Amino acid sequence: MINLTIDGKNVTVPRGTMLLEACRLAGADIPTLCYDPELKLAGSCRMCVVEVEGRRTLAASCVTPAEEGMVVQTESEEVVEARKVILELLLARHRLDCHVCEKDGNCRLQDYCYRYGVKDSRFKGEEPHFYKDDPNPFIERDYDKCIMCTKCVRACAEITGAFAINLKNRGHEVVISTAFDGGLKDSTCVFCGQCVMVCPVGALVSKVEKGRGRDYQTEKVRTICSYCGTGCTLELKVLNDQVVGVNSVRDERLSPVNRGALCVKGRFGWDFVNSKERLTQPLVRKDGELVPVSWDEALDYTASRLKEIKERWGAGSMAVFTSARTTNEENYLAQKLARAVIGTNNVDHCARL
Amino acid sequence: MKGEKRIILEYADKINPEKAEDYIKVGGYKGLEKARRMKPKKIIEEVKKSNLRGRGGAGFNTGMKWSFIPENAPIKYVVCNLDEGEPGTYKDRIICEKNAQALLEGMAICATAIGAEKGYIYCRGEYPYIVKLLNNAIKSAKEIGALEDFDIEVRMGAGAYVCGEETALIESIEGQRGEPRFKPPFPGVEGLWGMPTVVNNVETFACLPYILVNGAEWFASIGAPNYPGTKILTLTGDINNPTYFEVPTDYLLSDVIYELGGGIKSGRELKAVQVGGSSGAFIPKKNIDTPIDFDSMTKIGASLGSGAVFVLDETRDIVDIATRIAKFFKHESCGKCNPCREGTFRMYEMMTRINKGLGKPEDIENILVLSRVMQKASLCGLGQAAPIPIETSIKHFKSDYMAKLN
């Protein structure tokens, strides 16, 4: 174990603990932009810098291991000055349109500017010119708001394994790009939207959710994705009784299956919930027309037809196909129905195709 | 030349750097032979005792660096930094052109000390003919068996200044984007392809054969005690002899300019001198009676760096020069960390404004604030050093700036 002093408090942490973690244990709220506990460390945003006594430079706490006897200040004058200047530098390349931004109220840059009272930038000059027009139905790439934390690049590589995006150019001209700077649909992108999930600002937003309600306006309903049997946890954003978006739940305890990761369907394909064409009650075809009926009538009709077929052609004439969109339990019940009630072993499942 | 002390360059232009036989005739590969008879730990002790400090610019004790390599690691690498990106620096090229075999021998001595079987030379992209020269030199040394099983591969950079930073250099050899890694872990623990790696400058490696042959005490007694040995300096700018010199490290900067350098061109007065390349501080005339060694330079707020000496006469517009330097760093910032990526860009914008006569007093204030934060909060040496020439030019030549303000 290692003993160190953080903001005057003595803290004991296991060897290998990074200062960021140690500072948080000591009750310090360290701002971070590029840090994500599930991604490889970048150490590049420099917002998490702290002052370590005896060191020439400020230490990025996310990549600095705690050492025995360290004396750390998390909000010293130098630290605050550095964070303010970094925020000002970011503001100078960030198109400030919080009033129409999807991430308003849920944006790290906004939060930290508020925290450190950074109203404007002393370093304004050339305006941002990084917007990437990308005609795809899911992800908007407004790099005029990008703060170059590279979380999207890392999430794409490390969570999804798609390696669709990386950095292009150098210095101030660095932008996130696909190979040959094309659209996402011409890259290895699978539109899982993990990049949208990790973006701390409004640079990557869901086109499907755009304009339908800001995060703070919506009620959150945690549920399981209905698309397949994997059982990914997601959080519905509900406004006026309508689903207007989907959030990732990254807490492993709440989302043990997917830890926030989703696929294109779960993240962007939820709009069917609001469709008027959805089946909301049972229909039975009568004289060539589908007619709404009660559940009792529908079930009685189905049971009687199954019985008729079995009597006339035998149980072997029937088969049950089930779907990956239902749960394991539902699939179990379906095969049980096939074997025990209908009396056939003709059971199959779309996942086998 | 009088005042010089040539160790690495003693046989410059008298031997063919590509031919190992030539080098052996003047005593070459004796240091390596000696090292091979020594226990690895003893070699490291000897290098430590010589107090040889890194000649690339950081001035870290070489033996100490080697001692961080874990003995039991299965694979270790020796990497030579020949990126030589600092404008005005050409000493590593000179060493290769005059005495390439000493570099190879130095790398082999290091490999013997740390137990490495493979070395890489990372050569500046603008030096394609040096790549050829080195490959011929390696071939020649291999043919006569001087390097035994130690293999050296020459890799070429693509013109990025940041790849002179050791971890960005490693990334580049690995085929990645040239961006620095955060440290720790240091290359000595986790370097090339995740293996313990020694990265040293060309000049550092080239000192080693002479240390091994003549002994640590001999080396430690040359020049400044805290930074012993010789240093190859490269002169550029308004100087009568814009060439290279090898001097003992206690040699005075004023003598570099007025003795070896032959004084300022056209009999003009000196305005300032920048030591260590574009990332170095501007030194006003009043501070030049200082020895060039690492610690003495640090004491006057400057740095020896790579040993480039850029001389400006009294007619030079320092604001214009600082603006050009700002442009250089804007271009060379890799873009990984916020303070450097945006800082170098905005610094150049503000400097351009001032240089064009459109600046306001608050521009100078803002430059100084930005400069402070870049030095304190940037990820690597590039961002930390980029504002130093600007800051020191304001410190020593404030009136030049004030005269240009709107």
Side-chain angles (χ1 to χ4, degrees):
Chain A
M1 296 298 270
I2 282 171
N3 301 294
L4 65 165
T5 311
I6 296 168
D7 294 337
K9 283 182 202 147
N10 294 325
V11 190
T12 305
V13 294
R15 187 171 291 280
T17 306
M18 291 296 174
L19 269 186
L20 179 69
E21 176 71 18
C23 290
R24 287 179 175 172
L25 284 173
D29 180 12
I30 308 284
T32 62
L33 289 171
C34 72
Y35 175 76
D36 188 302
E38 284 183 30
L39 301 176
K40 276 187 194 153
L41 295 168
S44 63
C45 78
R46 317 305 281 179
M47 276 301 287
C48 72
V49 288
V50 294
E51 195 172 329
V52 180
E53 213 173 271
R55 292 213 178 179
R56 184 176 57 86
T57 56
L58 297 172
S61 59
C62 70
V63 292
T64 306
E67 285 171 23
E68 183 66 36
M70 266 184 172
V71 179
V72 179
Q73 296 285 334
T74 67
E75 295 279 335
S76 71
E77 212 174 300
E78 266 189 3
V79 168
V80 171
E81 179 178 60
R83 288 180 189 160
K84 280 183 171 176
V85 166
I86 290 168
L87 289 170
E88 285 185 62
L89 289 169
L90 290 175
L91 283 188
R93 66 168 283 154
H94 185 92
R95 199 178 68 248
L96 267 184
D97 58 7
C98 303
H99 60 301
V100 287
C101 183
E102 289 299 311
K103 290 297 281 275
D104 177 44
N106 189 23
C107 165
R108 290 277 186 95
L109 185 63
Q110 205 180 42
D111 291 349
Y112 295 147
C113 284
Y114 181 81
R115 172 168 160 184
Y116 288 105
V118 175
K119 275 192 197 166
D120 203 356
S121 175
R122 283 171 283 182
F123 306 108
K124 270 199 228 153
E126 191 183 284
E127 301 272 321
H129 53 273
F130 306 109
Y131 182 84
K132 174 76 188 171
D133 190 28
D134 192 338
N136 75 71
F138 306 118
I139 300 172
E140 176 153 299
R141 301 165 71 193
D142 185 358
Y143 295 138
D144 282 351
K145 292 182 185 167
C146 178
I147 53 158
M148 297 305 307
C149 67
T150 70
K151 275 191 200 173
C152 54
V153 175
R154 287 175 281 150
C156 185
E158 295 166 31
I159 299 178
T160 306
F163 297 90
I165 46 174
N166 211 324
L167 303 173
K168 188 186 79 166
N169 299 336
R170 256 190 352 201
H172 176 72
E173 299 302 322
V174 167
V175 280
I176 309 292
S177 169
T178 63
F180 312 111
D181 204 11
L184 287 174
K185 68 176 170 34
D186 300 317
S187 74
T188 53
C189 175
V190 292
F191 292 100
C192 64
Q194 255 66 269
C195 53
V196 178
M197 167 180 86
V198 295
C199 184
V201 293
L204 295 170
V205 296
S206 161
K207 287 183 181 174
V208 187
E209 294 182 23
K210 232 184 139 183
R212 299 175 75 161
R214 280 173 170 137
D215 197 69
Y216 58 80
Q217 294 172 307
T218 58
E219 189 191 330
K220 309 297 184 303
V221 180
R222 198 166 74 241
T223 183
I224 303 292
C225 179
S226 60
Y227 266 112
C228 80
T230 304
C232 293
T233 302
L234 47 77
E235 188 179 76
L236 298 176
K237 298 204 274 187
V238 180
L239 184 66
N240 301 330
D241 249 4
Q242 292 267 305
V243 175
V244 295
V246 157
N247 278 344
S248 281
V249 180
R250 298 193 67 194
D251 184 336
E252 195 178 356
R253 289 163 302 178
L254 303 177
S255 178
V257 174
N258 57 315
R259 282 182 290 167
L262 291 170
C263 75
V264 60
K265 293 189 263 182
R267 190 170 315 272
F268 299 112
W270 43 266
D271 215 19
F272 71 89
V273 178
N274 304 323
S275 171
K276 285 197 172 64
E277 287 173 37
R278 264 185 83 184
L279 287 179
T280 52
Q281 54 183 322
L283 303 172
V284 170
R285 200 177 298 278
K286 291 179 177 169
D287 302 327
E289 288 285 318
L290 285 167
V291 180
V293 295
S294 68
W295 277 107
D296 278 346
E297 186 184 340
L299 288 170
D300 285 348
Y301 176 74
T302 309
S304 67
R305 287 289 295 139
L306 289 174
K307 222 185 261 174
E308 276 170 42
I309 294 165
K310 187 178 172 183
E311 274 163 17
R312 188 166 172 198
W313 304 101
S317 68
M318 283 188 279
V320 171
F321 284 96
T322 53
S323 163
R325 290 186 59 169
T326 53
T327 63
N328 271 344
E329 291 78 2
E330 286 162 336
N331 278 306
Y332 175 79
L333 289 175
Q335 65 84 33
K336 195 85 176 169
L337 179 81
R339 292 185 222 271
V341 180
I342 300 173
T344 177
N345 286 329
N346 296 336
V347 179
D348 216 331
H349 187 277
C350 79
R352 249 176 34 86
L353 298 177
Chain B
M1 205 165 160
K2 194 173 161 280
E4 270 195 282
K5 181 172 178 63
R6 290 198 167 195
I7 294 171
I8 297 170
L9 300 178
E10 187 180 357
Y11 296 101
D13 303 318
K14 290 174 193 148
I15 54 169
N16 181 344
E18 291 186 1
K19 288 202 172 136
E21 295 91 334
D22 276 27
Y23 180 61
I24 287 168
K25 272 184 209 151
V26 296
Y29 287 110
K30 283 272 188 316
L32 179 57
E33 261 175 45
K34 196 170 163 191
R36 286 195 172 127
R37 291 194 302 269
M38 292 163 74
K39 287 207 168 99
K41 267 199 176 146
K42 288 292 280 180
I43 308 173
I44 296 176
E45 275 313 306
E46 187 76 358
V47 176
K48 258 192 206 169
K49 221 162 56 181
S50 77
N51 204 8
L52 170 65
R53 289 168 67 182
R55 296 298 199 246
F60 194 77
N61 184 293
T62 305
M64 188 80 86
K65 199 183 224 184
W66 296 6
S67 69
F68 297 148
I69 302 285
E71 277 172 65
N72 53 2
I75 299 170
K76 300 151 197 175
Y77 293 106
V78 177
V79 172
C80 171
N81 187 343
L82 170 51
D83 193 56
E84 193 152 73
E86 276 296 348
T89 308
Y90 48 96
K91 63 171 182 90
D92 295 337
R93 169 172 66 82
I94 297 294
I95 293 170
C96 293
E97 283 174 354
K98 310 296 179 190
N99 198 7
Q101 298 288 341
L103 161 61
L104 307 185
E105 186 183 353
M107 287 179 72
I109 291 169
C110 175
T112 312
I114 66 163
E117 289 168 5
K118 171 111 193 178
Y120 289 88
I121 301 176
Y122 187 85
C123 182
R124 175 180 165 90
E126 289 84 345
Y127 289 168
Y129 53 99
I130 298 290
V131 174
K132 215 170 132 195
L133 183 156
L134 286 172
N135 278 326
N136 289 337
I138 293 164
K139 197 165 160 241
S140 168
K142 273 281 183 195
E143 271 167 9
I144 63 159
L147 297 176
E148 292 186 3
D149 291 337
F150 180 57
D151 285 321
I152 302 178
E153 193 179 325
V154 184
R155 291 288 185 100
M156 211 170 165
Y161 173 87
V162 73
C163 288
E165 197 282 337
E166 58 180 2
T167 57
L169 185 155
I170 288 170
E171 286 281 307
S172 177
I173 293 182
E174 288 183 4
Q176 324 278 1
R177 223 178 120 79
E179 282 187 348
R181 300 173 178 174
F182 53 80
K183 296 186 267 193
F186 288 91
V189 178
E190 216 173 282
L192 188 57
W193 290 301
M195 297 301 167
T197 304
V198 163
V199 185
N200 277 144
N201 175 255
V202 173
E203 194 177 353
T204 313
F205 281 126
C207 287
L208 293 165
Y210 306 98
I211 292 172
L212 266 286
V213 168
N214 300 309
E217 288 83 8
W218 164 82
F219 189 82
S221 68
I222 302 165
N226 288 333
Y227 187 87
T230 58
K231 182 82 192 76
I232 301 174
L233 305 175
T234 52
L235 274 61
T236 54
D238 303 315
I239 189 94
N240 280 318
N241 302 327
T243 184
Y244 62 90
F245 299 102
E246 183 172 358
V247 295
T249 51
D250 55 356
Y251 202 75
L252 292 182
L253 179 58
S254 49
D255 288 343
V256 174
I257 298 167
Y258 290 102
E259 297 295 322
L260 295 172
I264 313 298
K265 261 190 194 161
S266 317
R268 292 199 177 112
E269 284 291 310
L270 174 72
K271 176 159 190 158
V273 54
Q274 190 185 28
V275 176
S278 284
S279 64
F282 280 104
I283 303 168
K285 196 179 175 187
K286 64 173 189 299
N287 285 348
I288 62 168
D289 287 325
T290 308
I292 56 121
D293 75 89
F294 190 86
D295 297 341
S296 302
M297 282 287 136
T298 309
K299 263 184 219 148
I300 60 163
S303 57
L304 171 61
S306 59
V309 179
F310 174 44
V311 179
L312 304 176
D313 75 24
E314 55 189 327
T315 66
R316 295 292 174 182
D317 179 350
I318 199 128
V319 182
D320 187 55
I321 289 164
T323 307
R324 284 157 195 258
I325 291 172
K327 185 179 181 183
F328 173 78
F329 284 114
K330 177 203 80 147
H331 181 70
E332 293 298 346
S333 168
C334 78
K336 181 167 179 168
C337 79
N338 283 325
C340 177
R341 183 187 60 245
E342 304 306 328
T344 52
F345 183 78
R346 300 301 170 189
M347 185 74 91
Y348 175 59
E349 279 190 339
M350 291 186 282
M351 285 299 295
T352 306
R353 259 197 320 265
I354 294 171
N355 195 33
K356 280 186 179 160
L358 302 169
K360 299 212 157 45
E362 56 264 32
D363 280 325
I364 295 186
E365 286 309 305
N366 293 342
I367 285 173
L368 292 175
V369 171
L370 180 57
S371 176
R372 207 158 53 224
V373 170
M374 286 173 73
Q375 288 178 57
K376 287 279 176 189
S378 292
L379 171 66
C380 84
L382 195 160
Q384 289 164 17
I388 289 173
I390 319 284
E391 191 184 72
T392 51
S393 70
I394 296 175
K395 186 178 167 196
H396 298 300
F397 303 97
K398 185 106 188 238
S399 57
D400 293 37
Y401 278 83
M402 298 315 283
K404 280 206 173 190
L405 290 184
N406 185 8

